[in-house]
Every structure is written in C-alpha cells, then in structure tokens.
Amino acid sequence: MNKSIHGEGTASELQDRVTELIEQQKAISEVLRAIASSPHDLQPIFDAILDSSTRLCRADVVTLRLSEESGLRLVAMRGDPLLVSHLWLVFPALAEKGSLQSRVAISRLPAHIPDLAALGGDRDDSWIAAVNAGYRATLIVPLLKDNDIVGTISLGRTQVQPFSDKQISLFRDFAAQATIALESTRLERQYREAQMALAHANRVATMGQLTASITHEVNQPITAAVTYALAARRFLSADPPNFREVDDALSLIVKEGNRAGEVVERIRALIKKVPARKDAVAIDDAILEVIALTRTEAANNSVSVRTQFVEGLPRVQGDRVQLQQVMLNLIVNAFQAMSGVGKGARELQISIDAVPSEGSMRVGVRDTGPGLSPESLSRLFEPFYTTKPEGMGMGLSICRSIIEAHGGRLWATRCEPHGALFQFTIPAD
Ligand code: ADP
C-alpha cells in the first residue's frame, strides 16, 4: 500500500529493510566471531547463535537442539534467566521421534504456532512443560544441511504475540547461515578428534613393536637394584659389618628405583591418550629419550646409533609426546629398512641443528638402508602407502600432519650411495 508508482518501497520501508539486513549481518558476524575466538569449544558458538536469535526476533527464550540417533538433544538455551533455569529442569533433554520438535524437523519447514496453549493434536512432554512455563508464541525452525536435519532452533514468547512474516523470513536466513557456520566447526572438530585418535593408535602400535626394547629399559634398573641389594646383604653379614658400604648400596638402590620409575613414566606418557599441548620442549632431551627406548631394538638389528646435536639448542614450541611419536616412527622405519640390508654397516645418524633464516630447528634421521625408489619418494606420505607385508602405511602421513600442525615441514631425500634421510623443521620457541 505504501508503494511508489515505480513499485519500489517508500523511504521508510527501505530504511526498515536496511536496518533488518544490518541486524542480520550483525547477528551472523557475532556467530563467526564466536567461532574465531573459540574454535575448539562448541558451547560459546551455540550461545552466540541463540543470543543473536533472541535479539533478531525479540524472543523471550531460545533453544537449540541437535540431531542424534535417537532424537533431538537439547544443547543450549538462552533468554530470560528465570525461564531458562526453569526450562532446563522441565524440558526433556531428548525430543524423541514423534515429538512436536521432531515432526517439525522432519517437515523441513518452519512451524509458527501463535499460541502454544491453543495447539490441538498430540501434546507431548515438551509441549506440556513449555505451556506450564508460560511459553506461548512459538517458532520452530529446522536447521538443514544439504537437506539433512542438523537440529532445530525454537524461539518462544511468553505472550500471545505471533512472530511477523518478516521476522520469520529474517530468522530463516540467519538460521541457514548459522547452520553452515556450526556444521563446518563441528566437522572440523570431528576431523581433529579422528586425527588425534589415529595418531594415538599409531603411537600405541609403534610402541607395541618395541616391546623387547621397552622390557629391557625397565628391567635394567631393576636388575641393578637387585645386585646392589645382594651386595648390601654381604656387607651387613661381614664381620664386622661394613655400614658405610651398606649405606652406599642403599643409595644406589634408591637411584635405580627412581630410574625404573622414570622409564615407566615416559612409556606411560607415550601410551596415554591426552589432548595436544603447547609447551616449551627441549627437543634434544625428548629425542634422547626415544633413542634410549629403542636401544635394544637397535642392538638386536645390529644398528649403531650416532647423534650429532649442536650445542645450546633453543627450545621448540609444541607437544612433547607428539614430537617423540614422530621420532619413534622415523627410527622404527629406519630399523626396518636396514633390517633387509645384507652387507655394509647399519648406521642411524640423528642430528639436530638450527636454521636461523627460518627461526627453526632441523632434525635429521639418516639411515644406511636400501633408500627410496622414485615411486616411494613420491608416495611416502600418502595415507595407506606401504611396502611392508604387515605395514599400515599411516606412520609417515601422521608424522607429517603432526609436524605441519606444529608449523614445521617434514620431507625425505635419497642419500648417496644408499640410504634415506628424513628431515623435519620445527619453529624455535
Ligand atoms: P609403514 O611403516 O606402515 O609402511 P609408513 O607411513 O611409516 O608406514 O611408511 C610408508 C612406507 O615408506 C614404507 O612402507 C616404506 O616403503 C617407506 N619408508 C619409510 N621409511 C623408510 C626408510 N627409512 N627407508 C626406506 N623406505 C622407507
């Protein structure tokens, strides 16, 4: 009715439209900001979506449910604090199949109920809870991704004050954008979790290949402690007893006991499933521990291990256990490569130096195995690429993703006359 002769809106209509669009833009940018500042935790993102929804549609309460196997799980609720705390107690945590929420979700269309109390038909638990809590005008919007139901957002007012068509369409657009933002965050999180689980499985599997070495590492201090204890007994039963020697032997027993404890603690740290950390890591110590753990394996394979670490290395920023996992993989791969070599010395050389131009440390693992064929060289880091009968082909691809997540690079080169050299860089602290 307020159209000009050209069919365009009046200035005030246009002004309203611009205001709405700005509000919508603001709402979505708040969601994106929440994602940027909290990429790993979904709750602040849920809250930002709901806070924006409340403002956009002048609702008193907004709830977010996400799809799972058995229904729609209530994951967040915002709005009037009193109503919110009451509804958390009375709303079913899961809207099962057949519930109002679930039926709206399946229809894939928003449902606007001007007065929930006047709604006919089946009345489920969440309906009863909502009406008893004073929830009247309701708008339920399914969240869809490629036509799959991701969840629902429900807006409620405590008065019979229906949502306008404009509010509904504004909200549909916002919900569509919020769903994309939410889903990409969820997917990224799932991917990261899967990667962590895979890295953990690979670490445990690699440790499994080192049982002989690990047993030896633990046994050594225990055997030494027993020897000192036997000696102490002899000193005690001497005539006269030599208490000084007994005291020395006891000190040595304590030292060996602590050593055994430390070895077990290191192994436990490598096997335990813990979230990634960012610490200042002394890369040389971390690598020496891995070398110690693989010492018997080296001896069993007649491999001599040499280290070449430059003095005064700075620390690197990262996750100690993950960096040790990379070393473990590279060292075990080198042993396995050399185990097939008939003649010639089997040597493993581990080096650390600085790359000042990059502000990083470079670690090298060089073996005297058969080296890398052109095919191997181009496919080494692909998941599932393996030339070993029992191999999984995941080790190097996991190593590369660990190093890249640390801001470094991992690559391989052939050595003359034979052998392979794996190198990685890692930014210095
Ligand atoms: P897996 O050890 O289970 O095969 P990896 O991803 O660790 O998986 O290694 C992939 C492949 O890369 C190996 O099967 C092998 O062919 C090759 N490779 C890895 N390290 C070496 C090495 N030091 N020398 C020669 N080939 C290697």
Side-chain angles (χ1 to χ4, degrees):
M1 115 194 110
N2 277 332
K3 300 263 147 130
S4 73
I5 38 173
H6 301 295
E8 287 161 3
T10 62
S12 88
E13 269 182 343
L14 285 175
Q15 185 61 46
D16 285 353
R17 183 80 191 115
V18 169
T19 312
E20 275 168 12
L21 287 175
I22 290 174
E23 274 187 23
Q24 197 189 35
Q25 232 19 72
K26 215 174 113 205
I28 197 68
S29 64
E30 263 158 34
V31 173
L32 294 176
R33 203 168 319 133
I35 290 176
S37 59
S38 161
H40 306 320
D41 186 6
L42 289 175
Q43 203 61 44
I45 302 168
F46 296 159
D47 291 347
I49 291 176
L50 296 193
D51 286 343
S52 294
S53 309
T54 322
R55 264 198 312 277
L56 268 183
C57 291
R58 325 257 181 273
D60 296 313
V61 192
V62 186
T63 58
L64 174 66
R65 288 181 180 270
L66 292 180
S67 284
E68 55 183 59
E69 191 71 22
S70 42
L72 291 158
R73 166 91 42 204
L74 184 59
V75 295
M77 191 176 338
R78 303 286 275 187
D80 175 352
L82 269 181
L83 198 54
V84 167
S85 55
H86 176 66
L87 288 175
W88 268 119
L89 294 176
V90 296
F91 264 177
L94 193 75
E96 288 174 357
K97 293 189 174 124
S99 62
L100 175 64
Q101 288 277 345
S102 183
R103 279 181 284 136
V104 173
I106 290 167
S107 77
R108 291 175 170 72
L109 290 171
H112 180 207
I113 305 160
D115 184 3
L116 203 58
L119 186 73
D122 293 342
R123 296 168 166 199
D124 57 30
D125 289 351
S126 50
W127 179 89
I128 297 168
V131 171
N132 286 344
Y135 220 94
R136 303 302 289 269
T138 304
L139 174 64
I140 307 175
V141 179
L143 306 178
L144 304 174
K145 173 146 188 285
D146 302 332
N147 215 33
D148 286 339
I149 302 156
V150 172
T152 56
I153 295 189
S154 309
L155 301 121
R157 285 177 178 161
T158 49
Q159 294 183 2
V160 187
Q161 197 182 69
F163 291 91
S164 69
D165 288 348
K166 252 192 197 158
Q167 280 174 331
I168 297 175
S169 98
L170 193 71
F171 188 69
R172 274 181 84 165
D173 288 350
F174 166 72
Q177 294 179 40
T179 310
I180 297 170
L182 185 63
E183 274 308 278
S184 53
T185 315
R186 276 222 291 181
L187 280 178
E188 208 219 284
R189 198 170 110 137
Q190 274 171 11
Y191 171 72
R192 214 181 28 251
E193 279 171 3
Q195 240 189 357
M196 289 284 295
L198 196 64
H200 178 248
N202 163 267
R203 202 156 68 227
V204 174
T206 315
M207 293 289 278
Q209 295 173 345
L210 293 172
T211 38
S213 218
I214 292 170
T215 313
H216 182 80
E217 277 304 301
V218 180
N219 261 344
Q220 229 182 15
I222 295 173
T223 313
V226 171
T227 310
Y228 293 130
L230 292 174
R233 204 152 69 178
R234 273 201 316 275
F235 292 127
L236 262 184
S237 54
D239 193 18
N242 189 339
F243 290 116
R244 189 155 180 179
E245 291 286 1
V246 172
D247 192 48
D248 285 351
L250 286 175
S251 303
L252 287 167
I253 292 170
V254 170
K255 199 174 131 212
E256 295 299 334
N258 287 339
R259 210 178 106 199
E262 279 164 22
V263 173
V264 170
E265 189 44 49
R266 273 179 225 142
I267 295 164
R268 210 169 68 91
L270 275 165
I271 289 177
K272 228 173 30 180
K273 194 170 184 186
V274 283
R277 305 167 51 117
K278 267 248 164 357
D279 293 322
V281 179
I283 188 84
D284 43 355
D285 284 351
I287 291 177
L288 286 173
E289 275 180 19
V290 179
I291 295 174
L293 217 55
T294 54
R295 207 166 18 211
T296 311
E297 205 69 17
N300 291 348
N301 283 291
S302 319
V303 175
S304 62
V305 181
R306 284 191 299 139
T307 52
Q308 204 171 25
F309 296 175
V310 294
E311 294 284 312
L313 290 166
R315 289 173 181 248
V316 299
Q317 264 291 327
D319 185 294
R320 193 170 201 271
V321 166
Q322 286 189 357
L323 294 174
Q324 287 188 317
Q325 168 170 10
V326 172
M327 283 311 289
L328 207 56
N329 269 303
L330 297 180
I331 292 175
V332 170
N333 272 349
F335 288 166
Q336 290 174 343
M338 288 189 279
S339 69
V341 178
K343 44 185 177 359
R346 295 178 179 179
E347 277 175 15
L348 180 69
Q349 190 179 326
I350 299 174
S351 59
I352 315 178
D353 60 2
V355 191
S357 61
E358 286 185 24
S360 58
M361 311 304 302
R362 178 175 51 197
V363 178
V365 178
R366 181 182 188 145
D367 64 55
T368 53
L372 305 162
S373 67
E375 197 217 338
S376 241
L377 204 51
S378 63
R379 303 194 50 201
L380 279 176
F381 297 99
E382 280 176 23
F384 303 114
Y385 173 76
T386 182
T387 54
K388 300 172 194 166
E390 309 281 314
M392 275 252 291
M394 290 306 291
L396 288 176
S397 98
I398 291 171
C399 289
R400 182 171 262 181
S401 58
I402 290 177
I403 294 300
E404 288 180 354
H406 278 79
R409 288 178 299 125
L410 167 65
W411 70 101
T413 40
R414 301 162 61 160
C415 300
E416 293 303 335
H418 48 73
L421 168 62
F422 286 81
Q423 294 178 87
F424 65 85
T425 54
I426 192 105
D429 193 21

